[in-house]
C-alpha cells in the first residue's frame, strides 16, 4: 500500500477510501479523489508512455485537459478506451490501465530504435522519401501504419448507452472556477435560468490546487463550497459536473459532453454512460481559465519535467510530490508559488531558474527567505536523464536572452517545473468565431471582437488574480441578466487574500543552450507528436510560412491535445524565425470539440433499432405470420414474396404471377403515397402539375398522371381520382410520397398562393388491398354487397364508395397488372381485418397473396414503367414513348418548357425499349449494359442499360426493358449485352407491351 | 507525363530522396531550400490561375510542363491548399456511372498513378481500394448498373457479396437484421486515398521549379477587360496584374469571382463537414462508402479514422455547418462499425463546396473572352485534382475544350444535356 | 446550428427547416416565350453572394409553411424573416438593384 510520493497529510483525497488499480499489470494503490495521474505519481511512476515518432520515454506534463503525454488505454475488451489522458481519469477501485505505443513494454521499447535514426526523420521527411521503387510504397506504408496510431480500438460493440439532451437557458456559464462560480451566483440570484458546466469532478477550478488563496478569511475551497451550496438550492440553476463544454456553434448553440458514470468504473442501468447536452443559451459566459505554457529547452520532454502549475496542483490538491528535489524554471512570479508550495510540503527545492535578470517582489523574497537558491537571468541549457530527469544544465544568459555566457552548471534534480506564463483558454471563444487579439506585451492571445452573445471572464480573459476574476464574473453576469430584463441581485465580491504577482512574465521562446537549436538534443514544442523547435524552423525555411502550413507540415498541434500547450510556442517560433510578429504568422482556428468526445455520445440513442424509422403497413403482422420475405422500399418494409414449402425465389414469384393472371391475387398496396387534394381550384392545379388534362375528369373517375420537374424529366406518377368537383384523391409512388407533397406545397405556397387548394397527406390513413385477376370480381362480390360490380355500373378507371367486409371503403377499379383489378381502400385501423376477410372469402378461389416482385413482373409484362427504376431523373415522357400522356393543348404545365430544350429532343437520346434475349430462358441482370458493337474487351461504347428484367410466366419467356440510345428507331435490331465472362444477344421488340397488347383482360 | 516530370526547371532545386535526407542530416537540415519561392507578382503574365488549391496548382503545373507556358502566376488569397484541398476526406476513385464522368475521373486516376514520382514529392497515394455498399434490393440493382458501366468503360471494379465485404472490412456490422443490412457492395481496388496537403505542396514545388510564380496572400478584387470585352488582367490586393489568359479555380468562391467578372454561375456554396477520430492502431484498410447509411470512412496513415457525410442544406461561406449533420454521421458510424462507439472525435471542420445542379463540374469558357472557369466539383473534387488541372490547362492553352472537358461546358445548362450524377449516383461524393 | 425564427412558430433550430435557396424568383408567366438561356437561368442560376442573401426556408418539422429569410452567408447572422408575399426591409434588402 506504500505510496512513496504521497504526503502524510493534505489534499482533497479521501484517505479513508484506499483504491487498488493496475498499471501495465502492476497493482498499485491510491485514494478516492485521485486521478490516475496523481495516483501514478504518488507511487513514483513517472514513465507513463512513449512518444509518437521517436518513442522517447514520456511522463506526466500537466494536470488536466492539456496533457499531451500521459495517454492511457483504459479497461479491456469491448469496454476498452484508448488515448485517455491519465490527468482526467478519476481513480476507481479495480481500474485497469495500460501504457500505449510501446512494444514489448514501456521500459524496453523496441520502437525507441527510431530515436537512434532521429536525424533522418525531420519534419516532413516522409514527403521526401519512400518514393522509389514506386511499387514498394505499399510496403513502406504498411510499416508506417502499424507504427502509427496510439491506443487500440475496442474489440466488439459498445455495451454502454448514450443520450443526447436538449436544454435552453438564459445564461450558460462555461467553467466553474472563481470567475464562473461568481458569474453563476450573480445570474442565479437574479432569477435567470442558469446552466453551469465544468469539466472536473468538483467545482472550484484552479482554486482546488492552490494553498495560498483565502476568500472571506477562509480557505478558498470553503468559499467554493458555499457558492455551490447556494447554487444547488436555486431551482432554475442546473449544475453539470464532469461536463466539458466542448463545442460552440452558431447562434449560441453549445454542446456539453457529460461523463455520467465513467468515474464509477461501471455502468448503471438507469443512466447513460455519457450525455451530450445541446444547449441554446441566450447569453454565454466563458470562464474557461488558462493553461500554462511549457518552456522550450533542450530535452524538455524527460519524465519529471512538468508544468509548474501541475506540479503545484499535484502537491496541494492530491498530496503528491512529483519530485523530492524539484527545480523550478520560470519567467514569472507564479513559478515561485510552486517553489513555495513544494517547499512547504517538504520538497528540497533544487533552485529557481528565473529567466528574468532581476526578479523582485514578495514571492521572490519569500523564496529567498526560505533558502531557495534563485538563478536569475539563467537559462536551462538542457535536461539530463532517460526514463526520469536526473539533472538540469543551467547557464547565465546574455542580456537579450539569445545565448548563454560562461559555462554551464549542472544541478541535480528529479523533477523540473516549467512556468512559461499562462495562455488564456480561448478555444470556445475562437470556436464561436470571436476574433483573437494578440497582446504583444504579455505574449498571449486574448478574446478580441465577439461574434456571438458571449463574454469572457477570469483566466480566459487574461485575468491572473482570483479577486479580479470574481469581480469580473459578477460584473459580466450582472450585465447579461440586466440586458435580458431580470432584476439584478448582485452578490458582494468577497475579500480575497492571494499572493501579489510582481513584475510580468519574461518570454523567451527557445531557451538558449550550448549549441544552436537543432544541433544538439531536442527542444520539444509539441510533445505528443514529437515536433521540435528545429522542425518548426525547418518548415519555415522550406517555405511553409503560414501557421497552417507549419502545422500540417510538422503536425504540431495536430495531436489529441490539439496543441493546448504547443500552439503559441509554435506560432512564436515561426514568427521569430521569419522576423515577423505573431499575428502576421496567423492564428490557429480552434474547432470543436475542445477535448476529444466519444463518438457514441454524438450518436446518442439513434443506434440499433432506433437508427432509422421503419414503416410497416396494417397488414404487416399477417405477412410475417405467413412467411413473407421483405424488402426495404423507401422507409417501408414491404412483402417481397411469399415462398411456400421450400420454393425458390423464382418459383414463388412465378406462382404468384400466374395466380394473379389466372385466378385471383392480392397485394398489400398500402404504401403508395396518397394525397387528399381539396379546394375549388384543384382541377386547375392538377392541370398544372400533371402533363395531361384534368379539367374534364368526371366525379368518380380515375386518371393516370405523370409529373415532371421543371427540367422536363419524369419525377413521379400515379392515379388520381375525382371524389367531387373540388376534391381529388391523388396517389404517388411509395418512395416519392413525401417529395411530391413537398413539391406541390411549394408551388401552392410560393408560386400560386391565390389558388384555393389544400393538400393533406393521407398515406397513413388508408390501408389498401389490391385484388387482381379474372376471379377478383367474384371475390369482391362476396364481401361487398352495396356496390354494383358489373362492368357497366363500375367500369375501368372508376371509383365507388361502399362497404367491404363490413368496413366503409373506397374501391378503385384501376389496374397495374392489366388484369381485372380492384384497389380496396379502408381506414388503416381496419386494414388487417380487410386483408383477413379477403383471404377468407377467396380461399376456395385459390387467392394468392403476392409481393412486390410479382407486382413488378405483372406490370412489366404490360410495359408499365416504375419511376425510379425505369427512369432515373434524366428521362422525359418522350424517352419513355409516353407521348400520349403529354398534352399538346395545355399552354403550360410543369416541365413543358423544360422538355422543349434542344438536347431533349435529339434522336440519340436514351429511349425505353423492350428486349428479348435470344435464349428465352436467359434473364438479363437489371443494370446490364447494352452495346451495339462488341469488342473483345472493354472499353466499348454503351448504348444504355437494362432497367427491368424478369422471367415472365405469362409470356413464357424472359422479358426486359432498357433505356437505349436512339432506341425507338431500333425495333428489330440485334444488340449485345456483354456480361462478365459471356455475352447475351438481344433483339429490340416492337414496343414494351409483352402481354395482352389488346388489353382484353382488364374487364375480366 | 513521365517526360514532363523529368524536366527540371530554371530553379534547379535538388531532388528529394533518402540520399538527400541523409546528406542534409549531416548539416542538421539547415540547408534545405524552400519548396517554392515567395516572389513578388510581376506586372504581367502569359497566364494567371486564380486559386492556389490543388486544382489551380495542377493547372499551373500542366500549363508549364505540358504546354510550355511557364510565365504563369498562381494567385492565392490565403495560403496554398488552404481551401477544400486541405479539408477533404482524401478519397480517390473513378467508379462513376456516366461515361463523361468516368472519362475525367479515370483520366485523373491514371495521372495519380505515378504522380508521386513525376512531382518528386511523396503524395502518399495509396491504392487501398474503395468499397461502396448496397443495403437493399434496390441498391443492389443500382450497383449492378454502375458496375457494368464502369467495367465496360475499362475501369476496374469488382462485385462483393456480404462475406466479401466482411473480409475486406472485418469491423463492419454484417448482421442482416439491422435497418440497413450490408447486402453487398463493389470495390475499386485502384481507388484509395492520398495525403491532401502534399498534393498542393507537390504541385506547387514542381510548378515553381518550372518557373511558375506562386503568390500567396493575394486576393483578386476585380477583373480588367478591354474594349472588346476580352480579359486583360486582374485587380488584386497586391496591385494590378495583367494577362490575356486567366483561369479561375476557386471552388466555393467561384460565384463571387464570376459576379466580379459580370456573369452568374449555376453554383451554390454549401458547407461540407468532416471529422477525424483520435489515432488508433489500424482497424480498417480500405475506404468504405455507404449511401443509405450516409457516411464514408477510411483510416489515415496516422491512425485517425476520417469520416465524411453530406453537405448542410443551406448556402454558406463560413466553413462551418450544423451539429445535426455530425450527429447523423456518427450515429451511422456506430451502426455500421459498432467498435467506433467508444472512440473519440478529435476534430471536426468544414469546407465550402461549390455544388452544381447536376453534381458535375464546370470546365468551361465563359461569356468573357480569355476567362475560363473550372468549378462546381462539389463534394468530390479532390480525386479529380490531376485530371482537372490537366484538362483545364489544355483549355486555357488552346482556348477550346478537349474531348474530356467538352461535356462539362456551361452550355449544357441551356441545352439540357446535364450529367446528372445525383440520379443513380449513390453517394454524391 | 442556426436559430431561425419562423414567422408563424417562432425561433427554432435549423434542423427543423428545409432550405429553398434564393427567394423572390418568380416562375415565368409564360415559359414558352423564354429563350433556352432564360429558362436555364430560371432552372439553375441563382445568386450566391458572400454576405446578405434573401432566401427561402420551409418549416418542415413545424407549420410546414414557406417563408423568407435575409441571412448573411458569411457570418450566418439572420437579419430578417418574413412571410411569402412580403419583402425585405429596404435597409437590408440584398437583392440586385434594390440597394
Amino acid at each position: 500500500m506504500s505510496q512513496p510520493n504521497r504526503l502524510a497529510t493534505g489534499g482533497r483525497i479521501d484517505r479513508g477510501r484506499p483504491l487498488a488499480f493496475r498499471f501495465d499489470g502492476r497493482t498499485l494503490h491510491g485514494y478516492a479523489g485521485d486521478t490516475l495521474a496523481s495516483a501514478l505519481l504518488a507511487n513514483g511512476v513517472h514513465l507513463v508512455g512513449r512518444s509518437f515518432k521517436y518513442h522517447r520515454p514520456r511522463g506526466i506534463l500537466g494536470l488536466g485537459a492539456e496533457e499531451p503525454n500521459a495517454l492511457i488505454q483504459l479497461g479491456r475488451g469491448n469496454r476498452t478506451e484508448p488515448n485517455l489522458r491519465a490527468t482526467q481519469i478519476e481513480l476507481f477501485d479495480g481500474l485497469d490501465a495500460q501504457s500505449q505505443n510501446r512494444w514489448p513494454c514501456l521500459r524496453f521499447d523496441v520502437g525507441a530504435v527510431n530515436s537512434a535514426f532521429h536525424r533522418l526523420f525531420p519534419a516532413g521527411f516522409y514527403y521526401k522519401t519512400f518514393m522509389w521503387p514506386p511499387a514498394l510504397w505499399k510496403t513502406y506504408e504498411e510499416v508506417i501504419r502499424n507504427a502509427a496510431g496510439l491506443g487500440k480500438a475496442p474489440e466488439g460493440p459498445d455495451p454502454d448507452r448514450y443520450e443526447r439532451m436538449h436544454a435552453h437557458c438564459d445564461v450558460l456559464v462555461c467553467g466553474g472556477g472563481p470567475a464562473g462560480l461568481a458569474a453563476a451566483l450573480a445570474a442565479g440570484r437574479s432569477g435567470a435560468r442558469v446552466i453551469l458546466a465544468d469539466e472536473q469532478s468538483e467545482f472550484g477550478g484552479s482554486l482546488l490546487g492552490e494553498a495560498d488563496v483565502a476568500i472571506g478569511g477562509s480557505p478558498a475551497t470553503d468559499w467554493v463550497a458555499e457558492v455551490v451550496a447556494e447554487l444547488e438550492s436555486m431551482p432554475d440553476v442546473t449544475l453539470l459536473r464532469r461536463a466539458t463544454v466542448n463545442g460552440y456553434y452558431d447562434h449560441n448553440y453549445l454542446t456539453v459532453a457529460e461523463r455520467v458514470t465513467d468515474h464509477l468504473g461501471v455502468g448503471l442501468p438507469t443512466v447513460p454512460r455519457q450525455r451530450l447536452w445541446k444547449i441554446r443559451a441566450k447569453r454565454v459566459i466563458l470562464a474557461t481559465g488558462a493553461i500554462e505554457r511549457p518552456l522550450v529547452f533542450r530535452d524538455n520532454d524527460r519524465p519529471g519535467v512538468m508544468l509548474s502549475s501541475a506540479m503545484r496542483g499535484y502537491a496541494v490538491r492530491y498530496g503528491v510530490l512529483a519530485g523530492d528535489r524539484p527545480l523550478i524554471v520560470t519567467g514569472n512570479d507564479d513559478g515561485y508559488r510552486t517553489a513555495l508550495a513544494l517547499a512547504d510540503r517538504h520538497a528540497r527545492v533544487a533552485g529557481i531558474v528565473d529567466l528574468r535578470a532581476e526578479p523582485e517582489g514578495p514571492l521572490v523574497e519569500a523564496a529567498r527567505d526560505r533558502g531557495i537558491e534563485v538563478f536569475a537571468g539563467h537559462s536551462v541549457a538542457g535536461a539530463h536523464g532517460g526514463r526520469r530527469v536526473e539533472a538540469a544544465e543551467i547557464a547565465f544568459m546574455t542580456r537579450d536572452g539569445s545565448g548563454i555566457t560562461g559555462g554551464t552548471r549542472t544541478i541535480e534534480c528529479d523533477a523540473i517545473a516549467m512556468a512559461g506564463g499562462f495562455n488564456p483558454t480561448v478555444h470556445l471563444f475562437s470556436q464561436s468565431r470571436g476574433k483573437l487579439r494578440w497582446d504583444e506585451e504579455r505574449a498571449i492571445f486574448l478574446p478580441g471582437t465577439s461574434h456571438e452573445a458571449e463574454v469572457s471572464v477570469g483566466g480566459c480573459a487574461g485575468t491572473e488574480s482570483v479577486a479580479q476574476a470574481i469581480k469580473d464574473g459578477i460584473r459580466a453576469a450582472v450585465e447579461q441578466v440586466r440586458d435580458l430584463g431580470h432584476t439584478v441581485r448582485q452578490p458582494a465580491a468577497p475579500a480575497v487574500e492571494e499572493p501579489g504577482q510582481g513584475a510580468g512574465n519574461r518570454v523567451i521562446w527557445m531557451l538558449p543552450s550550448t549549441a544552436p537549436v537543432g544541433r544538439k538534443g531536442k527542444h520539444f514544442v509539441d510533445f505528443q507528436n514529437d515536433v521540435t523547435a528545429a522542425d518548426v524552423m525547418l518548415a519555415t525555411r522550406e517555405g511553409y510560412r503560414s501557421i497552417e502550413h507549419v502545422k500540417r507540415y510538422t503536425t504540431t498541434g495536430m495531436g489529441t491535445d490539439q496543441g493546448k500547450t504547443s500552439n503559441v510556442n509554435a506560432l512564436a517560433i515561426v514568427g521569430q524565425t521569419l522576423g515577423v510578429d505573431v499575428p502576421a504568422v496567423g492564428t490557429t482556428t480552434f474547432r470543436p470539440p475542445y477535448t476529444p468526445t466519444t463518438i457514441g455520445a454524438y450518436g446518442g440513442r439513434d443506434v440499433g433499432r432506433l437508427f432509422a424509422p421503419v414503416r410497416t403497413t396494417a397488414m404487416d403482422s399477417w405477412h410475417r405470420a405467413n412467411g413473407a420475405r421483405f424488402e426495404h422500399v423507401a422507409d417501408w418494409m414491404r412483402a417481397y414474396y411469399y415462398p411456400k414449402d421450400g420454393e425458390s425465389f423464382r418459383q414463388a414469384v412465378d406462382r404468384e404471377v400466374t395466380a394473379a393472371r389466372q385466378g385471383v391475387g392480392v397485394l398489400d398496396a398500402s404504401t403508395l403515397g396518397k394525397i387528399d387534394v381539396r379546394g375549388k381550384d384543384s382541377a386547375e392545379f392538377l392541370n398544372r402539375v400533371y402533363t395531361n388534362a384534368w379539367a374534364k375528369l368526371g366525379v368518380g373517375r380515375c386518371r393516370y398522371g405523370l409529373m415532371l420537374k421543371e427540367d422536363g424529366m419524369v419525377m413521379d406518377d400515379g392515379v388520381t381520382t375525382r371524389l367531387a368537383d373540388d376534391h381529388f384523391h391523388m396517389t404517388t409512388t411509395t418512395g416519392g410520397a413525401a417529395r411530391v407533397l413537398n413539391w406541390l406545397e411549394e408551388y401552392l405556397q410560393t408560386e400560386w398562393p391565390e389558388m384555393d387548394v389544400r393538400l393533406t397527406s393521407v398515406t397513413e390513413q388508408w390501408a389498401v388491398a389490391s385484388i387482381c385477376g379474372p376471379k377478383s370480381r367474384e371475390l369482391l362480390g362476396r364481401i361487398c354487397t352495396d356496390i354494383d360490380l358489373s362492368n357497366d355500373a363500375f367500369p375501368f378507371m372508376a371509383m365507388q364508395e361502399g362497404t367491404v367486409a363490413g368496413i366503409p371503403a373506397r374501391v378503385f377499379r384501376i389496374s397495374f397488372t392489366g388484369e381485372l383489378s380492384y384497389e380496396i381502400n379502408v381506414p388503416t385501423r381496419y386494414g388487417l381485418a380487410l386483408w383477413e376477410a379477403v383471404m377468407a372469402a377467396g380461399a376456395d378461389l385459390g387467392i394468392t397473396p403476392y409481393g412486390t416482385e410479382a407486382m413488378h413482373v405483372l406490370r412489366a409484362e404490360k410495359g408499365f414503367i416504375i419511376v425510379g427504376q425505369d427512369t432515373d431523373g434524366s428521362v422525359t415522357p418522350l424517352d419513355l414513348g409516353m407521348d400520349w400522356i403529354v398534352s399538346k393543348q395545355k399552354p403550360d404545365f410543369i416541365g413543358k418548357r423544360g422538355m422543349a430544350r434542344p438536347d431533349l429532343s435529339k434522336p440519340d437520346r436514351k429511349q425505353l425499349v423492350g428486349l428479348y434475349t435470344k435464349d428465352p430462358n436467359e434473364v438479363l441482370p437489371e443494370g446490364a449494359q447494352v452495346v451495339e458493337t462488341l469488342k473483345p474487351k472493354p472499353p466499348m461504347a454503351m448504348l444504355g442499360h437494362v432497367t427491368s428484367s424478369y422471367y415472365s410466366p405469362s409470356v413464357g419467356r424472359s422479358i426486359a426493358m432498357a433505356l437505349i440510345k436512339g432506341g425507338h428507331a431500333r425495333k428489330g435490331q440485334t444488340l449485345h449485352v456483354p456480361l462478365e465472362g459471356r455475352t447475351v444477344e438481344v433483339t429490340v421488340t416492337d414496343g414494351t407491351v409483352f402481354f395482352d397488347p389488346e388489353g382484353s383482360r382488364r374487364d375480366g | 507525363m513521365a517526360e514532363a516530370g523529368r524536366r527540371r526547371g530554371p530553379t534547379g532545386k535538388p531532388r528529394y530522396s533518402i540520399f538527400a535526407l541523409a546528406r542534409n542530416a549531416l548539416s542538421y537540415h539547415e540547408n534545405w531550400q524552400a519548396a517554392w519561392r515567395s516572389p513578388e507578382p510581376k506586372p504581367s503574365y502569359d497566364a494567371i490561375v486564380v486559386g492556389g488549391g490543388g486544382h489551380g496548382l495542377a493547372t499551373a503545373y500542366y500549363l508549364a510542363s505540358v504546354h510550355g507556358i511557364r510565365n504563369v502566376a498562381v494567385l492565392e488569397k490565403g495560403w496554398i491548399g488552404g481551401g477544400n484541398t486541405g479539408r477533404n476526406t482524401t478519397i480517390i476513385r473513378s467508379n462513376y456511372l456516366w461515361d463523361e464522368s468516368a472519362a475525367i475521373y479515370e483520366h485523373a486516376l491514371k495521372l495519380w498513378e505515378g504522380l508521386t514520382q513525376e512531382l518528386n514529392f511523396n503524395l502518399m497515394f495509396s491504392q487501398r481500394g474503395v468499397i461502396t455498399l448496397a443495403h437493399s434490393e434496390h441498391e443492389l440493382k443500382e450497383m449492378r448498373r454502375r458496375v457494368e458501366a464502369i467495367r465496360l468503360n475499362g475501369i476496374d471494379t469488382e462485385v462483393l457479396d456480404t462475406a466479401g465485404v466482411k473480409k475486406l472490412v472485418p469491423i463492419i456490422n454484417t448482421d442482416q437484421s439491422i435497418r440497413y443490412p450490408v447486402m453487398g457492395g463493389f470495390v475499386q481496388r485502384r481507388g484509395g486515398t492520398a495525403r491532401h496537403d502534399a498534393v498542393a505542396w507537390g504541385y506547387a514545388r514542381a510548378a515553381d521549379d518550372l518557373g511558375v510564380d506562386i503568390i500567396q496572400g493575394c486576393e483578386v478584387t476585380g477583373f480588367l477587360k478591354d474594349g472588346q470585352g476580352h480579359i486583360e488582367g486582374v485587380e488584386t490586393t497586391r496591385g494590378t496584374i495583367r494577362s490575356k489568359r486567366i483561369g479561375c479555380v476557386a471552388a466555393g468562391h467561384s460565384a463571387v469571382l464570376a459576379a466580379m467578372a459580370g456573369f452568374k454561375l449555376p453554383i451554390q456554396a454549401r458547407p461540407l463537414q468532416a471529422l477525424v477520430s483520435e489515432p488508433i492502431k489500424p482497424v480498417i484498410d480500405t475506404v468504405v462508402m455507404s449511401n443509405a447509411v450516409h457516411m464514408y470512412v477510411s483510416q489515415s496513415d496516422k491512425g485517425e479514422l476520417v469520416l465524411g457525410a453530406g453537405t448542410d442544406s443551406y448556402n454558406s461561406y463560413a466553413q462551418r455547418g450544423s451539429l445535426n449533420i455530425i450527429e447523423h454521421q456518427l450515429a451511422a458510424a456506430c451502426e455500421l462499425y459498432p467498435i467506433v462507439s467508444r472512440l473519440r472525435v478529435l476534430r471536426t471542420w468544414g469546407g465550402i463546396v461549390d455544388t452544381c445542379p447536376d453534381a458535375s463540374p464546370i470546365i468551361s469558357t465563359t461569356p468573357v473572352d480569355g476567362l475560363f472557369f473550372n468549378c462546381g466539383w462539389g463534394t468530390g473534387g479532390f480525386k479529380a485534382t490531376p485530371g482537372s488541372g490537366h484538362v483545364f490547362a489544355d483549355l486555357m492553352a488552346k482556348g477550346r475544350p478537349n474531348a474530356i472537358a467538352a461535356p462539362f461546358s456551361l452550355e449544357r445548362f441551356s441545352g439540357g444535356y446535364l450529367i446528372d450524377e445525383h440520379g443513380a449516383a449513390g453517394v454524391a461524393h | 446550428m442556426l436559430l431561425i425564427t419562423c414567422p408563424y412558430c417562432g425561433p427554432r433550430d435549423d434542423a427543423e427547416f428545409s432550405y429553398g435557396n434564393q427567394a423572390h424568383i418568380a416562375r415565368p408567366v409564360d415559359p414558352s416565350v423564354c429563350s433556352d438561356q432564360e429558362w436555364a437561368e430560371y432552372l439553375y442560376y441563382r445568386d450566391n453572394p458572400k454576405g446578405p442573401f434573401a432566401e427561402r426556408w420551409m418549416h418542415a418539422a413545424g407549420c410546414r409553411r414557406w417563408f423568407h429569410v435575409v441571412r448573411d452567408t458569411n457570418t450566418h447572422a439572420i437579419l430578417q424573416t418574413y412571410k411569402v408575399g412580403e419583402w425585405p426591409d429596404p435597409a437590408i434588402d440584398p437583392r440586385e438593384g434594390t440597394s
Side-chain angles (χ1 to χ4, degrees), chain C residues 11-75:
Chain C
R12 298 287 191 278
D13 291 347
D14 73 57
E16 291 192 14
F17 298 86
S18 62
Y19 188 62
N21 218 306
Q22 187 175 358
H24 308 297
I25 305 247
R27 187 173 187 272
V29 177
D30 184 359
S32 68
V33 302
C34 292
S35 69
D36 289 331
Q37 184 58 31
E38 284 166 344
W39 191 249
E41 285 180 14
Y42 168 65
L43 282 185
Y44 304 123
Y45 287 67
R46 294 292 180 269
D47 291 344
N48 188 16
K50 184 176 185 173
F53 185 41
E55 60 191 13
R56 307 183 309 152
W57 288 82
M58 192 266 283
H59 195 184
C63 63
R64 299 192 58 78
R65 281 201 263 192
W66 285 91
F67 60 95
H68 296 148
V69 176
V70 178
R71 183 180 59 97
D72 188 313
T73 59
N74 191 32
T75 65

Side-chain angles (χ1 to χ4, degrees), chain A residues 340-519:
Chain A
L340 291 167
L342 297 175
D344 285 347
R345 286 162 182 74
H346 317 300
R348 298 176 298 135
V349 176
I352 299 174
V353 176
D354 197 324
L355 308 180
R356 298 172 296 185
E358 289 162 1
E360 54 184 20
L363 281 165
V364 179
E365 293 317 311
R368 286 192 167 124
D369 290 349
R370 293 287 292 268
I372 301 172
E373 193 170 357
V374 175
F375 302 98
H378 275 63
S379 168
V380 174
H384 294 284
R387 297 188 194 112
R388 177 80 187 266
V389 65
E390 286 161 6
E393 221 177 308
I394 70 168
F396 198 69
M397 282 189 292
T398 57
R399 180 168 283 279
D400 65 356
S402 65
I404 58 170
T405 60
T408 64
R409 173 174 165 188
T410 300
I411 298 189
E412 284 187 17
C413 59
D414 59 0
I416 297 179
M418 302 181 283
F422 286 83
N423 285 324
T425 307
V426 292
H427 299 64
L428 289 174
F429 174 79
S430 172
Q431 283 185 29
S432 80
R433 298 181 80 188
K435 276 208 172 61
L436 298 177
R437 176 171 69 79
W438 176 249
D439 181 329
E440 182 64 42
E441 195 189 319
R442 296 171 67 189
I444 52 174
F445 281 109
L446 287 169
T449 318
S450 285
H451 187 80
E452 296 284 354
E454 52 68 41
V455 57
S456 295
V457 295
C460 70
T463 305
E464 285 180 359
S465 110
V466 172
Q468 193 61 41
I470 291 175
K471 277 185 206 147
D472 289 352
I474 293 172
R475 197 189 59 233
V478 162
E479 280 168 10
Q480 300 302 321
V481 297
R482 181 177 291 139
D483 230 33
L484 293 173
H486 293 274
T487 308
V488 170
R489 291 186 55 204
Q490 180 168 347
V496 177
E497 295 161 51
E498 59 187 319
Q501 303 267 338
N505 189 25
R506 179 167 194 199
V507 178
I508 298 176
W509 297 111
M510 291 176 281
L511 299 196
S513 184
T514 52
V517 165
R519 295 279 179 103

Side-chain angles (χ1 to χ4, degrees), chain A residues 11-34:
Chain A
R12 300 184 64 75
I13 46 166
D14 182 352
R15 288 164 203 267
R17 283 179 58 208
L19 304 172
F21 69 100
R22 287 158 72 82
F23 179 66
D24 278 346
R26 206 176 131 205
T27 299
L28 300 168
H29 294 87
Y31 293 114
D34 262 327

Side-chain angles (χ1 to χ4, degrees), chain A residues 42-253:
Chain A
N43 285 276
V45 178
H46 272 269
L47 173 63
V48 295
R50 290 275 174 170
S51 69
F52 195 79
K53 185 159 127 188
Y54 303 120
H55 290 252
R56 283 168 69 113
R58 288 287 164 79
I60 294 158
L61 183 87
L63 191 65
E66 74 282 9
E67 176 60 42
N69 285 336
L71 302 184
I72 294 296
Q73 182 97 32
L74 190 68
R76 294 184 190 256
N78 292 357
R79 278 210 162 88
T80 193
E81 261 191 291
N83 309 340
L84 284 173
R85 288 172 297 281
T87 52
Q88 291 190 299
I89 302 171
E90 290 178 53
L91 199 67
F92 54 82
D93 206 40
L95 179 148
D96 184 4
Q98 291 166 276
S99 57
Q100 300 184 156
N101 208 36
R102 81 292 186 271
W103 185 87
C105 73
L106 193 52
R107 290 182 64 81
F108 302 99
D109 174 22
V110 169
V113 71
N114 281 3
S115 219
F117 297 106
H118 67 96
R119 296 259 299 271
L120 284 179
F121 302 147
F125 73 96
Y126 31 78
Y127 300 122
K128 295 173 179 159
T129 182
F130 302 131
M131 289 186 274
W132 293 98
L136 264 189
W137 165 242
K138 271 206 147 141
T139 312
Y140 296 135
E141 192 184 27
E142 218 47 39
V143 173
I144 292 170
R145 284 171 82 84
N146 285 319
L150 291 167
K152 294 191 184 98
E155 289 153 19
D158 192 340
D160 288 325
R161 189 160 61 77
Y162 302 85
E163 191 171 277
R164 296 190 299 238
M165 183 83 128
H166 290 269
H168 295 259
C169 63
D170 294 320
V171 181
L172 170 64
V173 182
C174 309
L181 285 170
L185 187 65
R189 279 193 187 169
S190 304
R193 265 201 302 174
V194 177
I195 298 176
L196 170 64
D198 188 90
E199 65 179 347
Q200 299 204 61
S201 58
E202 53 177 330
F203 291 105
S206 61
L207 296 178
L208 300 169
E210 302 294 13
D212 53 7
V213 179
I215 302 178
S218 308
T221 48
D222 290 358
W223 176 80
V224 171
E226 278 167 33
V227 172
V228 170
E230 183 173 346
L231 289 170
E232 273 176 338
S233 73
M234 296 178 179
D236 279 342
V237 173
T238 304
L239 298 181
L240 299 177
R241 295 173 178 86
R242 303 184 175 93
T244 308
V245 185
N246 66 350
Y248 199 141
Y249 301 86
D250 285 326
H251 302 168
N252 267 3
Y253 188 82

